Amino acid sequence: MSPDETDLSMNSPSPIGLTAHDVRVADDLLSLGWPAKPWMPATTHDGQTVHDVIVVGAGQAGLALAFGLAQQGIAALLLDRAPAGFEGPWATTARMETLRSPKELTGPAMGVPALTFRAWFIAQHGQAAWDDLGKIPRLQWMDYLRWLRRVTHAQVRNGCEVTDVQPQGEARVALQVSQRQPDGSQVQAQFLARRVVLATGRDGLGGPSVPAFVRDVPRTRWAHSSDAMDYASLRGRRVAVVGAGSSAMDCAATALEHGAASVDLLIRRADIPRINKSKASGVPGLTQGHYDLPDAWKWRIRHYINAQQVPPPQGSTLRVARHPNAYFNQNCAVTSVQESAGAEGGASQLEIHTTQGVFEADFLVVSTGFQMDWAQKPEYATIAPHVRLWRARRPADADEADAELDGSPDLGPAFEFQQNTPGTCPGLGRIHCFCYPATLSFGSIAGDIPSISDGARRLAGALASLFYREDIEVHWARLQAYADPELTGQEWTPADSSLRVRR
């Protein structure tokens, strides 16, 4: 094969097809010695297998971590409650047309060029199509993640919802799991692991932030932006959307594209944020060093980004603005919402009281983000009271209170939970938080596309170190018992020393 015939998958202007690219991926992984040789001792308890690592969540964070652990010779089992191919929000509750992240970011590729979205895309569509691509379409990103799962041979069990997490002393963690069967029934099972990683995304330790003004409104009249719902049901209806972030724009646009009669965006701020301050923090020094910063700087940086707020993407905003029946109402904070009877016996409607007056709508979408709220995660009821939070270590000179930061878990160097009171929950440190709530402790390396590989490498290496220390006696015995000879004794002929020395 001539030099110009080799490795077409990364450089050819024409697509080579995914099958050929898969061959390249397999060869790259073979060249990298992936997966690494297993070295962990097998573990059982009362006859049941104890997995080395169980990862709860098989989205992009879980896949990256599983690959990182395989690079360390550690097996991971991933559990996800979604059907296969629908992990994460991309093909379910997300409504953006494209990702916010630039297409060039390597995401969960873990440093392997052939595993990047770019390589996957070019193999199928060619270099010219890549050059013409603006942002990555949302559903295409989901297709990429499905492919990544396949070619990295991630061990995923879908339809598995964790219902309880129970540390069992300083040895293992038990997971109670409800497993969905092909006939739709549920079977209860227990899994044991030496370490458990929560790779559960943006709402990892909580759920939707629901404002008080909708809590007494019938649930049929409103939805949170993260709810799964059929937006076609809004055809011909007057819709109000609370918020001006990316999800608010995406929900508003989706409603309009499905034929909503009108959409009023109710925006508390006098102006929509224009600058994404978090972009300025995406430098290797902070990516690698956030955990090592003094507490005051960690707080200052994350609070500033929270307070400034992230603006909606320009594309999402234009997607709404191009509709003449979309209305941007600024300086318009919602104070109360009530359902009232329609005029002259007509259908009931919502009266939305704001600082600008009363809006009438048929349906309300609240795009008010997520909050860390253990009550919304009953599967963590056993451990929640014992987890040390940042409010216990908040810097005395922190400029302002920040509920999100106060409620963030105070994590150890391996993303592990720490106990409020030592000794009250033995084994809590065997549970690791690799999702958004880790942000104050570690920065944006536990879920965001730009640095997800950095986080996965860091956690995988930390787990490898922890395992070796725990099993030091086993490895010491293996070291002493190791007896594979480098030499057999047949490689040379012993000299007759009597002929070689002077007497």
Side-chain angles (χ1 to χ4, degrees), residues 35-68:
K37 182 179 178 181
W39 55 276
M40 298 278 290
T43 307
T44 61
H45 177 68
D46 289 342
Q48 182 178 353
T49 296
V50 179
H51 298 273
D52 296 334
V53 179
I54 289 181
V55 182
V56 181
Q60 62 191 22
L63 293 177
L65 178 60
F67 186 82

Side-chain angles (χ1 to χ4, degrees), residues 128-448:
W130 171 258
D131 294 339
D132 290 341
L133 182 68
K135 295 290 183 69
I136 299 173
R138 167 176 56 87
L139 293 178
Q140 196 166 50
W141 181 254
M142 185 71 249
D143 286 339
Y144 161 72
L145 293 177
R146 291 167 179 147
W147 170 81
L148 186 71
R149 167 180 169 169
R150 176 172 62 81
V151 297
T152 60
H153 306 289
Q155 300 302 305
V156 182
R157 295 193 190 181
N158 289 96
C160 289
E161 182 171 5
V162 174
T163 58
D164 196 17
V165 179
Q166 303 168 341
Q168 295 190 334
E170 296 296 345
R172 70 196 69 85
V173 179
L175 300 179
Q176 304 305 319
V177 177
S178 179
Q179 297 179 291
R180 186 171 58 252
Q181 303 302 298
D183 63 1
S185 64
Q186 299 288 328
V187 173
Q188 306 305 310
Q190 176 179 266
F191 291 78
L192 300 178
R194 295 182 62 182
R195 299 274 169 177
V196 169
V197 178
L198 307 181
T200 45
R202 181 63 180 80
D203 62 341
L205 300 181
S209 178
V210 177
F213 56 70
V214 295
R215 291 175 185 165
D216 293 328
V217 178
R219 199 61 174 85
T220 56
R221 304 304 299 268
W222 68 274
H224 190 271
S225 56
S226 64
D227 289 342
M229 65 170 285
D230 180 11
Y231 271 66
S233 65
L234 300 181
R235 177 177 298 277
R237 304 178 75 185
R238 299 167 299 170
V239 178
V241 176
V242 178
S246 57
S247 61
M249 295 299 171
D250 294 330
C251 289
T254 303
L256 290 162
E257 290 160 3
H258 281 84
S262 63
V263 170
D264 276 287
L265 283 153
L266 308 179
I267 303 166
R268 175 177 54 84
R269 288 189 169 218
D271 197 5
I272 297 174
R274 310 285 179 92
I275 299 172
N276 186 354
K277 291 285 188 175
S278 64
K279 282 186 176 180
S281 65
V283 297
L286 187 60
T287 298
Q288 305 301 330
H290 181 101
Y291 183 80
D292 300 316
L293 288 174
D295 289 356
W297 274 111
K298 290 181 183 180
W299 189 282
R300 179 183 293 182
I301 290 169
R302 294 313 312 179
H303 175 69
Y304 179 74
I305 291 172
N306 284 352
Q308 294 296 310
Q309 294 192 326
V310 176
Q314 185 182 52
S316 295
T317 308
L318 291 173
R319 184 182 168 198
V320 177
R322 66 173 175 243
H323 293 271
N325 52 339
Y327 304 93
F328 292 72
N329 302 282
Q330 297 172 198
N331 201 21
C332 186
V334 177
T335 57
S336 66
V337 180
Q338 60 190 47
E339 187 178 30
S340 64
E344 298 180 358
S348 65
Q349 62 185 17
L350 296 177
E351 291 185 354
I352 306 170
H353 296 254
T354 77
T355 51
Q356 295 288 353
V358 179
F359 290 79
E360 295 178 347
D362 301 308
F363 195 83
L364 176 65
V365 177
V366 290
S367 181
T368 43
F370 297 91
Q371 62 182 349
M372 297 185 198
D373 178 9
W374 295 94
Q376 295 192 50
K377 295 292 184 183
E379 61 268 35
Y380 304 142
T382 301
I383 64 172
H386 304 286
V387 174
R388 177 180 166 92
L389 304 179
W390 261 85
R391 66 170 55 99
R393 98 180 238 185
R394 180 185 174 199
D397 58 348
D399 293 337
E400 295 182 49
D402 189 311
E404 177 182 297
L405 302 186
D406 270 337
S408 297
D410 177 13
L411 302 177
F415 294 79
E416 74 273 24
F417 290 130
Q418 302 183 90
Q419 298 177 62
N420 267 324
T421 304
T424 57
C425 189
L428 180 64
R430 292 185 171 274
I431 304 170
H432 306 257
C433 180
F434 192 54
C435 50
Y436 180 81
T439 301
L440 180 54
S441 291
F442 281 91
S444 301
I445 63 173
D448 286 355

Side-chain angles (χ1 to χ4, degrees), residues 12 120 219 375:
S12 172
W120 174 82
R219 199 61 174 85

Side-chain angles (χ1 to χ4, degrees), residues 10 21 105-106 109 111-121 144 147-148:
M10 301 293 283
H21 185 65
L105 294 180
T106 57
V112 180
L115 288 179
T116 60
F117 177 86
R118 176 183 181 274
W120 174 82
F121 183 94
Y144 161 72
W147 170 81
L148 186 71

